[in-house]
């Protein structure tokens, strides 16, 4: 079944002219940085895109002058949202010169919007993506094979208020996530003192931002109950609704 799905995705890429976000041996190195790793539902993502020419010779890129870059939000193999889908759709090819060792830089904000799975009958066609764990990557809108950046994980979630002290929750995750990604969902960041998972009576693994070398809690799995210790209190952005342990 997964082979059939992958084949369908590749066929759609061929028909739409969009290249999947995979490592490519192209003469331009694209990197993407975002301002954080967790966002409240509907909040914009602040981003910076760098396109470096590492070659000893100048390069000429045929880009869409109206929008020389694109951002893509993925849920596994599913292309959930694209910046270009929320634009005017204007295509204005233009040649961009990049000297040897030079970098093109693009800075902006994007509030992802999707037409997948409308929240209710008669709801707007485009709406914020549902809370979840996603990846995001950047592309240059070249007219041939697109240079892409590495994908970065992020959480889109709803806030859960936590009092000072330790609180046990079951995040009800659908996928395994690095503990650092869940830690980045705590606001304010400085409030997080520790995160614990009890594996058996008197056996637990833990994570502390102040003791990263000694942390033995590396990932949070679906079904895990996690204890978050905050001082002072704050909130955590969870990709699904938490359940009481």
């Amino acid at each position: 079944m997964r082979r059939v799905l992958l084949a369908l995705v590749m066929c759609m890429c061929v028909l739409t002219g969009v290249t999947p976000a995979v490592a490519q041996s192209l003469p331009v190195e694209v990197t993407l940085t975002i301002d954080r790793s967790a966002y409240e539902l509907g909040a914009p993502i602040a981003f910076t895109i760098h396109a470096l020419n590492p070659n000893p010779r100048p390069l000429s890129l045929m880009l869409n002058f109206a929008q020389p870059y694109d951002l893509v939000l993925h849920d596994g193999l599913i292309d959930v949202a694209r910046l270009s889908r929320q634009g005017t759709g204007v295509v204005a090819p233009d040649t961009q010169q990049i000297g040897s060792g030079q970098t093109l830089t693009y800075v902006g904000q994007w509030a992802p919007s999707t037409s997948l799975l409308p929240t209710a009958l008669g709801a707007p066609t485009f709406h914020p993506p549902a809370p979840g764990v996603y990846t995001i990557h950047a592309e240059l809108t070249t007219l041939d094979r697109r240079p892409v950046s590495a994908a970065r994980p992020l959480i889109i979630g709803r806030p859960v208020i936590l009092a000072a002290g330790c609180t046990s929750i079951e995040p009800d995750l659908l996928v395994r996530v690095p503990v650092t990604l869940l830690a980045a969902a705590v606001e304010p960041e400085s409030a997080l003192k520790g995160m614990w998972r009890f594996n058996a009576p008197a056996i637990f693994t833990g994570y502390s931002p102040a003791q990263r070398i000694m942390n033995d809690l590396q990932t949070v799995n679906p079904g895990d109950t996690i204890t978050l210790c905050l001082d002072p209190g704050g909130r955590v952005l969870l990709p699904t609704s938490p359940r009481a342990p």
Side-chain angles (χ1 to χ4, degrees):
M1 183 65 183
R2 294 185 64 183
R3 292 182 178 178
V4 173
L5 179 58
L6 181 59
L8 290 174
V9 171
M10 295 303 294
C11 288
M12 289 299 296
C13 291
V14 171
L15 291 174
T16 58
V18 174
T19 304
V22 296
Q24 299 179 4
S25 299
L26 293 175
V28 180
E29 296 179 359
V30 180
T31 57
L32 168 68
T33 57
I34 52 180
D35 59 328
R36 52 182 306 151
S37 299
Y39 299 85
E40 189 170 353
L41 185 67
I45 299 171
F47 63 87
T48 301
I49 300 170
H50 294 294
L52 167 68
N53 173 15
N55 304 282
R57 297 180 180 179
L59 289 175
S60 295
L61 294 177
M62 184 66 74
L63 296 171
N64 180 4
F65 179 75
Q67 185 177 323
Y69 60 85
D70 206 355
L71 291 172
V72 188
L73 191 71
H74 274 275
D75 181 359
L77 290 175
I78 301 174
D79 182 342
V80 175
R82 275 186 175 268
L83 174 63
S84 56
R85 292 190 190 133
Q86 299 170 226
T88 62
V90 175
V91 178
D94 186 45
T95 301
Q96 176 71 62
Q97 299 285 340
I98 312 179
S100 175
Q102 290 187 341
T103 300
L104 299 177
T105 301
Y106 306 100
V107 179
Q109 289 190 339
W110 178 42
S113 185
T114 181
S115 59
L116 299 177
L117 300 176
T119 55
L121 190 63
T125 302
F126 283 91
H127 51 84
V133 179
Y134 298 92
T135 59
I136 184 172
H137 76 265
E139 303 177 353
L140 294 187
T141 57
T142 53
L143 299 185
D144 49 8
R145 192 178 184 188
R146 291 186 171 189
V148 303
S149 72
R152 303 180 61 91
L154 62 82
I155 287 175
I156 294 178
R158 293 189 175 93
V160 175
I161 306 300
L162 299 177
C166 296
T167 305
S168 294
I169 60 173
E170 185 178 327
D172 197 22
L173 298 172
L174 300 179
V175 296
R176 176 185 298 178
V177 301
V179 67
T180 51
L181 185 62
L182 189 58
V186 174
E187 299 177 341
E189 183 180 355
S190 60
L192 180 64
K193 304 307 176 184
M195 191 183 308
W196 306 93
R197 178 177 64 205
F198 291 86
N199 302 312
I203 300 177
F204 58 89
T205 53
Y207 168 85
S208 172
Q211 302 290 336
R212 296 190 176 185
I213 296 178
M214 302 179 65
N215 291 324
D216 51 7
L217 178 59
Q218 300 295 321
T219 60
V220 181
N221 308 307
D224 281 351
T225 296
I226 297 295
T227 299
L228 295 171
C229 298
L230 276 63
D231 182 23
R235 66 179 195 166
V236 59
L237 298 173
L238 293 179
T240 55
S241 299
R243 296 185 291 184

